[in-house]
């Protein structure tokens, strides 16, 4: 038997995971696939000091690159990881597009297979300035063009890549079954008295993109309903402004970030309503986790959230919608929504399922020579010739994203 | 010709005053005979605007030149300039009124270019660009016709936002006036200065809110024509003098921005499988508006870019070969336009994604 296929996972901060979505994903890929594949994970030397570094972790080899995995340094971090991986691995699984400028070289000069996860429409996010947006916009193009397979984490992102590049993105979301269902103890109830009453809960970065203001303004009008919101309130003027403004509202409780996973799960797992205000492109791990906890979800009405929840959650577009939802949704409906979320999460958002999808791609990519395009070649033919042959319909092909219009 | 010094000042002044005084009168006529530009989806104005700018500039400059008796004695020398621009003006006016076919316009422009060549105004050498100097007669013909037609069209297309074509023309004519004065070609100098005078009057109305007029195709065609043909004439006059490099790099610097921008736009359209003459929103000024600049600021940015390219061209012409200068200019321009194009593409996709995100029917 030939040795195991060598897979490099590039672009996360590293494992053991203590950070965000990509790191949790990497950890669970290692968990589920290390028996099947020879996995190397590239980790940030900046986040793992020398004494904490490991050679292997759960059967995966670890390599440390002395740069930050996020921010400007990620451009070099990813590129160096890619360069290193080209000599050692058969398949490069790249998370994020920051280092994609290396991919044309990899594709032209080596036979290594590239799978890239483009992680939402990152270039569009408000938090980046214009130059960064330009770079990410370009990097995404290169990433899709020079990869063998690209991965979207949401059906709407798949529509977008199909429209822009004609590429058929594979949809792989995130798992959520690492989330703990915690019953609050007496101590928790003393620390957080609101636990004994029904409350709505939201956790997010305090940014306009997450509709923090809409949610707060809705609950200012709803004095009988308690809102608990966890986030980095002191990091921005925006956050400080709202913290000040909400001081006089007894029903609004603003908490600083909670790093104790058990405590956070105790609070969010027992919420009466889970509010998800994220509007940025893609499937958000936090939404998937809330679904796994079987919470009744009220989500901001963008296609990403609707696809993630299979259109079965409750949706709001502004504070007025939210006020109506909170006031008028019956207990039965909330319970029903919670059960449906639970069902979807168990079916789609377990790491086992996600890992199987990745391994299927690893197998598929080994035999791929050329990346396909969803547009048929007839689209490039001359319209006049096609008309003369009475087959001009071939010029105007309907794609899967068209039915939605 | 001591009179020249006086006419150099008087003729432009007359032209300026004539435009300022006569325009309100012609504006009213334009509304009456419906000689106006109506808003449509590609246009950024919301009311009908008279298209008399080109006509006013031509009329007032001609009257001013006649009154100051500049033209009469040497009419022979500049007759190709005046006859050609008159033909293009008339064609432009008809086009503004009834929209001529692109092919008919092209044929007329080619005809005018051939006429220019036959009157002895032509590009006689490549001046060392790509290492070539002397060229056979047939290439002189082809090159002259292509450059005239191309530049006239390019200038025509640059007329997209307030003050832009007028501003670019003023930069061009100012540089040409300086060359003409240095070479003591007072006839040319007073011609250019008179047009500048008329253009300043035009810009006053073009940039105003209440009494706005447009140059129209008529104006941009004939101004582009005068610019490129007098550019060629200035080069011809300087050939075999030590000033040839400076003249050449000035003429190139004046014309390069509209020319390479239109080449870029044509190339993009052909690449996408469309006709190069299909109207769209990809010209430099559209790209700048994509940066969310107001129109006047966008005009200012392009005018400053044009001046920078011009100065760079003159400066580089002194120190490097003509080939290197042109490559440098092209390189700079392609970097700028590439970034701006990407910015526009981003805006476009932002819109599409917004629709995708908020699409409720699935």
């Amino acid at each position: 038997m030939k040795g195991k296929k060598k897979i490099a996972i590039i672009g996360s901060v590293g494992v053991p995971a203590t950070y965000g979505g990509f790191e949790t994903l990497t950890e669970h890929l290692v968990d589920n696939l290390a028996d099947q594949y020879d996995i190397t994970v590239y980790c940030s030397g900046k986040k793992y000091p020398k004494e904490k570094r490991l050679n292997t972790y759960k059967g995966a080899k670890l390599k440390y690159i002395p740069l930050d995995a996020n921010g400007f340094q990620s451009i070099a971090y990813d590129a160096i990881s890619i360069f290193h991986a080209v000599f050692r691995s058969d398949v490069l699984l790249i998370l994020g597009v920051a280092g994609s400028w290396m991919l044309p070289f990899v594709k032209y000069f080596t036979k290594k297979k590239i799978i890239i996860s483009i992680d939402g429409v990152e270039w569009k996010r408000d938090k980046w300035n214009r130059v960064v947006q330009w770079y990410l916009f370009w990097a995404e193009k290169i990433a899709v063009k020079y990869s063998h397979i690209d991965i979207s984490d949401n059906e709407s992102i798949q529509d977008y890549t199909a429209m822009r590049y004609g590429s058929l993105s594979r949809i792989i979301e995130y798992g959520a079954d690492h989330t703990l269902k915690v019953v609050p103890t007496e101590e928790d109830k003393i620390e957080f008295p609101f636990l004994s009453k029904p409350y709505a809960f939201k956790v997010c970065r305090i940014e306009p993109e997450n509709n923090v203001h809409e949610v707060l303004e809705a609950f200012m009008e709803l004095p009988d309903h308690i809102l608990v919101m966890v986030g980095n309130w002191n990091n921005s003027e925006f956050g400080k402004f709202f913290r000040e403004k909400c001081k006089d509202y007894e029903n609004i409780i603003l908490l600083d970030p909670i790093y104790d996973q058990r405590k956070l799960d105790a609070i969010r797992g027992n919420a009466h309503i889970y509010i998800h205000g994220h509007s940025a492109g893609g499937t958000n791990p936090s939404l998937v986790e809330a679904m796994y906890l079987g919470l009744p979800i009220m989500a901001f009405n963008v296609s990403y959230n609707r696809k993630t929840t299979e259109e079965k959650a409750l949706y709001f577009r502004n504070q007025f919608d939210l006020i109506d939802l909170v006031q008028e949704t019956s207990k039965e409906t909330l319970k029903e929504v919670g059960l449906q979320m639970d069902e979807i999460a168990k079916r789609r958002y377990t790491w086992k399922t996600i890992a199987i999808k990745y391994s299927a791609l690893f197998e598929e990519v080994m035999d791929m020579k050329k990346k396909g395009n969803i547009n048929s070649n007839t689209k490039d033919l001359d319209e006049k010739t096609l008309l003369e042959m009475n087959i001009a319909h071939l010029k105007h092909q309907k794609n899967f994203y068209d039915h939605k219009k | 010709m001591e009179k020249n010094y006086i006419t150099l000042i008087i003729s432009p002044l007359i032209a300026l005053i004539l435009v300022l005084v006569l325009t309100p009168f012609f504006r009213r006529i334009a509304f009456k005979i419906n000689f106006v530009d109506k808003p449509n989806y590609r246009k950024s104005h919301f009311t009908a605007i008279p298209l008399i700018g080109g006509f006013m500039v031509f009329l007032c400059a001609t009257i001013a030149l006649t009154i100051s008796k500049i033209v009469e004695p040497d009419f022979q020398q500049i007759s190709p300039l005046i006859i050609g621009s008159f033909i293009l003006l008339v064609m432009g006016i008809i086009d503004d009124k009834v929209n001529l076919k692109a092919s008919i316009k092209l044929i007329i422009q080619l005809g005018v270019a051939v006429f220019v060549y036959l009157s002895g105004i032509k590009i006689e050498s490549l001046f060392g660009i790509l290492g070539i100097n002397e060229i056979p007669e047939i290439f002189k013909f082809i090159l002259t016709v292509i450059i005239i037609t191309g530049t006239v069209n390019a200038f025509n297309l640059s007329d997209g936002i307030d003050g832009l074509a007028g501003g670019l023309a003023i930069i061009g004519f100012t540089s040409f006036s300086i060359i003409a004065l240095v070479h003591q070609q007072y006839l040319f100098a007073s011609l250019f200065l008179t047009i500048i005078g008329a253009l300043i009057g035009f810009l006053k109305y073009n940039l105003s809110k209440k009494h706005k007029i447009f140059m129209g195709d008529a104006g941009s065609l004939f101004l582009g024509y005068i610019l490129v043909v007098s550019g060629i004439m200035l080069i011809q006059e300087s050939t075999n003098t030590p000033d040839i490099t400076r003249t050449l790099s000035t003429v190139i610097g004046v014309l390069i921005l509209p020319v390479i921008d239109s080449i870029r736009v044509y190339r993009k359209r052909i690449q996408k499988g469309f006709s190069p003459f299909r109207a769209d929103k990809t010209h430099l000024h559209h790209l700048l508006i994509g940066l969310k600049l107001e129109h006047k600021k966008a005009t200012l940015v392009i005018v400053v870019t044009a001046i920078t390219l011009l100065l760079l061209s003159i400066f580089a012409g002194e120190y490097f070969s003509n080939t290197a200068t042109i490559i440098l200019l092209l390189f700079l321009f392609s970097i700028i336009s590439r970034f701006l194009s990407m910015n526009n593409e981003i805006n476009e996709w932002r819109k599409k994604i917004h629709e995708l995100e908020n699409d409720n029917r699935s």
Side-chain angles (χ1 to χ4, degrees), chain A residues 121 123-124 130 133-134 137-138 156 159-160 163-164 279 301-304 306-307 311 317 404, chain B residues 290-292 339-340 342-343 345-347 349-350 352-362:
Chain A
V121 191
W123 58 263
K124 197 177 138 290
R130 185 167 269 156
Q133 287 187 353
W134 282 356
F137 185 77
W138 173 81
S156 289
D159 288 347
Y160 157 70
M163 283 160 73
R164 186 170 167 201
S279 67
N301 194 354
V302 284
S303 59
Y304 313 114
R306 286 201 309 272
K307 300 292 180 200
E311 315 258 347
R317 225 174 249 286
K404 291 160 192 163
Chain B
L291 279 177
K292 299 191 176 66
F339 269 96
L340 290 173
M342 196 162 80
N343 186 65
E345 214 183 315
I346 289 184
N347 292 343
W349 277 105
R350 197 182 286 278
K352 284 189 195 163
I353 289 178
H354 189 78
E355 280 165 19
L356 196 74
E357 284 173 350
N358 295 300
D359 180 19
N360 258 327
R361 289 157 287 162
S362 49

Side-chain angles (χ1 to χ4, degrees), chain B residues 153-168:
Chain B
N153 265 301
F155 207 78
N156 183 215
L157 293 175
S158 78
D159 180 27
I161 49 176
D162 289 347
L164 184 53
L168 290 178

Side-chain angles (χ1 to χ4, degrees), chain A residues 109-153:
Chain A
F109 297 116
T110 75
K111 291 210 159 107
K112 307 297 173 182
K113 307 296 179 183
I114 304 160
I115 303 177
I116 194 155
S117 171
I118 63 169
D119 183 33
V121 191
E122 195 65 17
W123 58 263
K124 197 177 138 290
R125 300 190 63 180
D126 300 330
K127 64 176 176 181
W128 307 119
N129 66 36
R130 185 167 269 156
V131 176
V132 178
Q133 287 187 353
W134 282 356
Y135 176 73
L136 289 170
F137 185 77
W138 173 81
E140 183 189 277
K141 178 155 87 183
I142 300 296
V144 175
K145 197 169 166 188
Y146 292 97
S147 57
H148 294 89
I149 293 179
D150 56 283
I151 298 172
S152 301
D153 64 7

Side-chain angles (χ1 to χ4, degrees), chain A residues 269-289:
Chain A
N270 292 285
H272 176 64
I273 298 169
Y274 184 87
I275 296 173
H276 187 75
H278 293 52
S279 67
T283 294
N284 312 117
S286 62
L287 176 58
V288 170
E289 287 169 13

Side-chain angles (χ1 to χ4, degrees), chain A residues 6-7 15 30 38-43 54-63 88:
Chain A
K6 298 192 193 99
I7 312 284
V15 283
V30 170
D38 178 357
I39 298 178
T40 308
V41 177
Y42 289 82
C43 308
L54 309 163
N55 285 327
T56 61
Y57 175 73
K58 294 184 177 173
K61 294 183 193 123
L62 305 187
K63 298 278 173 225
R88 296 167 181 252

